[in-house]
Amino acid sequence: MQIGVIGLGRMGGNIARRLMKAGHHCVVFDTNPDAREALAKDGATAVSSLGAMVDALTGKPRAIWVMLPAGRITEETVAHLGELLKPDDIIIDGGNSYYKDDIRRAKELSEKHIRYVDCGTSGGIWGIDRGYCMMIGGPKDAVDHLDPIFSALAPGTGDIPQTPGRDEGDSRAERGYIHAGPSGAGHFVKMIHNGIEYGLMQAYAEGFDILRNKNSADLPPEERFDLNLPDIAEVWRRGSVISSWLLDLGAAALTKDPQLQQFSGFVQDSGEGRWTIEAAIEEAVPVEVLASALFARFHSRQEHTFAEKVLSAMRFGFGGHTEGSGPVGLSRTESAKGEE
């Protein structure tokens, strides 16, 4: 299948590469010519503009995957594509857009008979090998047409046993992707995924902070333990009920640098954590843990604890996020690339 990919950064480039490994033909564009050339060397057709991409996509309907930071650049790109594409063509936003923006875009594009699909994509920089978990919203006919793309990007069933009682369920979920519902549903599910991610990461971070401080001079000598954090992280990976990929990433970081000295403790939030809390408020759903995890990230920009270094290490592990003194506020249209 032929598909266009716009945005060849940490995830977009690897999405194109995984698709090409599966036999799909990718037409790619990025404002960075080096990124375009790198994909061309891997077998993609690189173009220098959105217009050239539309011209290079000869199959009907055309399908273009936009993998850009949420906000203005995605908004402008989708709008431009809406002027270039023809009825029945498909735009996929695979970034971390706000789901209400998806609903609006889908309505605007439907007036031109262009189909819009929102695809919440998780997998980070490891997705090229592990595959991507995808939560998809949009019209059924468009999602069904794109199934070969989603199937190629998904991790597949792997060695994860089937959940008891799922014999009659949608097999796509077991292979790592779902059609969550109409426009906006995919990014809504991904938004909550990232909100949960905040809470999980915060729990690990606080736990390791307690372990590290068990050797504090403030404690009676007989109650002090000089605990080996890399060993604790490692043993929890094996048979523990709190094992997870996030813990795997934390264990790798602690093994490399037990004091996490390379991490500042500054922890950015992508915007999706905030949107999750907003949705909870709209629905009157209590989310004490998720709200506290978001506020902990705000706190990290004022003073830094070991817990915040653990958070920073995990973010770097799955997404290659390099923390710094970035903007304290992120609006819906200024969100960073996001958790993965």
Side-chain angles (χ1 to χ4, degrees):
M1 186 172 179
Q2 189 184 44
I3 187 168
V5 179
I6 298 171
L8 308 176
R10 287 192 300 260
M11 289 188 67
N14 282 348
I15 282 173
R17 291 182 176 94
R18 186 171 174 90
L19 287 173
M20 289 189 292
K21 285 181 180 180
H24 298 285
H25 175 224
C26 292
V27 178
V28 300
F29 170 72
D30 193 286
T31 55
N32 181 353
D34 292 339
R36 300 197 301 262
E37 291 172 12
L39 265 295
K41 290 179 181 177
D42 290 336
T45 298
V47 294
S48 58
S49 69
L50 298 186
M53 170 171 283
V54 171
D55 291 341
L57 292 169
T58 57
K60 300 293 187 297
R62 301 177 185 88
I64 298 179
W65 185 298
V66 179
M67 201 65 185
L68 297 169
R72 185 177 63 185
I73 186 171
T74 293
E75 194 73 43
E76 292 175 350
T77 301
V78 171
H80 192 180
L81 289 174
E83 299 298 323
L84 296 171
L85 294 174
K86 303 295 183 183
D88 291 332
D89 288 344
I90 305 170
I91 298 172
I92 311 118
D93 179 3
N96 282 326
S97 289
Y98 185 51
Y99 78 99
K100 291 185 180 180
D101 291 337
D102 293 314
I103 296 171
R104 171 180 50 78
R105 290 177 197 153
K107 183 177 180 180
E108 293 170 352
L109 289 167
S110 69
E111 295 173 359
K112 302 177 181 180
H113 302 287
I114 295 171
R115 295 173 288 177
Y116 179 85
V117 171
D118 53 287
C119 181
T121 311
S122 182
I125 58 178
W126 304 94
I128 187 172
D129 297 316
R130 292 169 55 101
Y132 300 90
C133 173
M134 290 166 290
M135 297 137 270
I136 307 158
K140 184 179 184 301
D141 58 350
V143 174
D144 289 348
H145 176 77
L146 294 168
D147 192 74
I149 296 298
F150 298 133
S151 180
L153 290 173
T157 55
D159 58 0
I160 299 174
Q162 186 181 61
T163 299
R166 276 202 58 90
D167 295 344
E168 303 301 322
D170 187 341
S171 68
R172 292 178 296 183
E174 297 175 359
R175 288 180 279 138
Y177 65 108
I178 59 169
H179 183 196
S183 298
H187 277 149
F188 184 80
V189 175
K190 177 58 162 52
M191 179 183 81
I192 304 306
H193 164 284
N194 283 18
I196 292 171
E197 183 182 298
Y198 279 35
L200 291 173
M201 292 172 68
Q202 188 66 29
Y204 284 126
E206 292 178 6
F208 279 106
D209 207 4
I210 296 169
L211 293 169
R212 180 176 181 268
N213 282 287
K214 189 56 177 169
N215 199 31
S216 170
D218 295 332
L219 296 173
E222 66 274 14
E223 295 183 10
R224 299 175 197 167
F225 304 145
D226 186 11
L227 299 169
N228 186 313
L229 300 192
D231 280 0
I232 292 170
E234 188 63 28
V235 76
W236 283 352
R237 294 180 61 220
R238 303 177 185 280
S240 164
V241 296
I242 63 168
S243 60
S244 73
W245 186 39
L246 288 173
L247 180 59
D248 294 347
L249 297 171
L254 287 166
T255 297
K256 184 177 180 180
D257 176 12
Q259 299 303 318
L260 302 181
Q261 293 179 347
Q262 65 175 305
F263 296 98
S264 68
F266 181 103
V267 186
Q268 187 60 273
D269 70 286
S270 64
E272 291 194 304
R274 303 184 189 208
W275 302 339
T276 297
I277 305 308
E278 289 180 8
I281 293 170
E282 291 175 356
E283 300 168 19
V285 174
V287 288
E288 294 93 337
V289 171
L290 304 190
S292 295
L294 174 64
F295 295 149
R297 295 195 176 198
F298 296 167
H299 182 270
S300 77
R301 298 161 205 169
Q302 299 171 2
E303 54 183 280
H304 307 311
T305 66
F306 187 76
E308 287 149 2
K309 290 187 177 184
V310 176
L311 282 176
S312 188
M314 285 189 283
R315 285 193 92 230
F316 180 80
F318 65 71
H321 302 284
T322 302
E323 310 288 6
S325 55
V328 173
L330 289 171
S331 72
R332 293 189 185 113
T333 57
E334 295 171 334
S335 171
K337 288 187 178 179
E339 311 293 303
E340 308 300 355

